[in-house]
Amino acid sequence: MLIYLSLIDCEEDISKFELLYNTYRQTMFYVANDILKDNHLAEDAVHTAFLRIIDNFNKINDVKSHKTKGLIVIIVKNISIDIYRKNKREREKLDILENEISINSNEHTELSELSELEIAISKLPEKYRQVILLKFSHHFSDNEIGNILKIKPDNVRKRISRGKEKLKSILKEMQVYNIE
């Protein structure tokens, strides 16, 4: 709580914030944990909510009013939803990459060029490998790849182009193909 109090200047606001903190922190944690289902993430949401409340502290007149409780619940709920969505996107990205790894490890092909190509792709930097695998292995469009990786379609096309160039140089180093 000292962190929050250090952000407040006026002595009157400090006592008002202490009352607010002691009155609503359990409610805030309950709301956040109900959405996130994780104690640590809920604590992070409550912490972020208190920081946001301090930024808007001048809008709070009566700490024990229903209006204040509603404001606080809305703030912590929105922050918790943002954290939930962010974690969901990260889990989806990891699932796609894990799926890609399992597909690559389970595919055994008789063509030595293909396995050497897979080795060359695995040597690409992560950001190029992701777009190349999504584009040519999963046949996603540039817009779909952009949505998955949260980048613009123009950036997807640029990464594919740079990834291809990098892949050519890796294959040249491996002396697999006679690439000009």
Side-chain angles (χ1 to χ4, degrees):
M1 184 155 92
L2 291 174
I3 296 170
Y4 307 124
L5 296 178
S6 67
L7 298 172
I8 300 173
D9 298 328
C10 176
E11 189 67 36
E12 181 181 314
D13 286 347
I14 288 175
S15 63
K16 187 166 108 176
F17 182 81
E18 286 175 341
L19 177 63
L20 183 126
Y21 180 86
N22 291 327
T23 305
Y24 295 114
R25 74 170 174 216
Q26 288 297 91
T27 304
M28 293 169 70
F29 180 80
Y30 176 78
V31 169
N33 200 31
D34 190 46
I35 294 169
L36 297 168
K37 311 284 192 253
D38 182 305
N39 290 344
H40 298 292
L41 291 176
E43 289 173 7
D44 289 345
V46 170
H47 172 70
T48 305
F50 275 122
L51 293 176
R52 195 165 298 163
I53 289 167
I54 288 172
D55 289 341
N56 298 297
F57 201 58
N58 59 344
K59 295 178 183 174
I60 297 174
N61 295 324
D62 181 19
V63 172
K64 298 223 177 199
S65 73
H66 292 291
K67 184 178 176 183
T68 300
K69 183 176 183 179
L71 173 69
I72 289 171
V73 168
I74 288 170
I75 289 172
V76 77
K77 186 183 278 190
N78 287 339
I79 289 170
S80 299
I81 290 169
D82 289 345
I83 291 171
Y84 177 83
R85 287 179 181 155
K86 180 182 176 199
N87 287 340
K88 184 178 177 185
R89 282 192 304 268
E90 290 173 2
R91 280 193 305 272
E92 287 172 354
K93 287 180 191 176
L94 286 174
D95 289 346
I96 289 171
L97 293 176
E98 287 173 0
N99 187 25
E100 189 60 42
I101 290 169
S102 69
I103 287 172
N104 285 339
S105 65
N106 290 336
E107 288 179 355
H108 296 289
T109 180
E110 295 175 10
L111 299 172
S112 63
E113 289 102 21
L114 186 56
S115 63
E116 289 171 347
L117 182 59
E118 288 176 343
I119 292 168
I121 290 173
S122 71
K123 292 181 178 182
L124 283 173
E126 183 71 24
K127 66 181 182 178
Y128 300 134
R129 183 173 55 240
Q130 287 174 344
V131 293
I132 286 183
L133 290 174
L134 290 171
K135 180 74 173 182
F136 300 108
S137 181
H138 292 293
H139 308 291
F140 284 114
S141 71
D142 294 345
N143 287 335
E144 292 170 327
I145 295 170
N147 287 336
I148 291 169
L149 299 177
K150 299 297 180 210
I151 59 175
K152 294 181 181 177
D154 291 340
N155 291 346
V156 171
R157 287 187 282 281
K158 196 63 162 170
R159 284 187 186 182
I160 289 171
S161 173
R162 290 178 179 165
K164 284 180 182 179
E165 290 301 315
K166 190 89 170 144
L167 190 58
K168 284 180 186 177
S169 67
I170 291 171
L171 289 170
K172 214 178 232 185
E173 288 174 14
M174 293 173 62
Q175 298 177 347
V176 175
Y177 298 104
N178 220 358
I179 299 175
E180 301 287 322

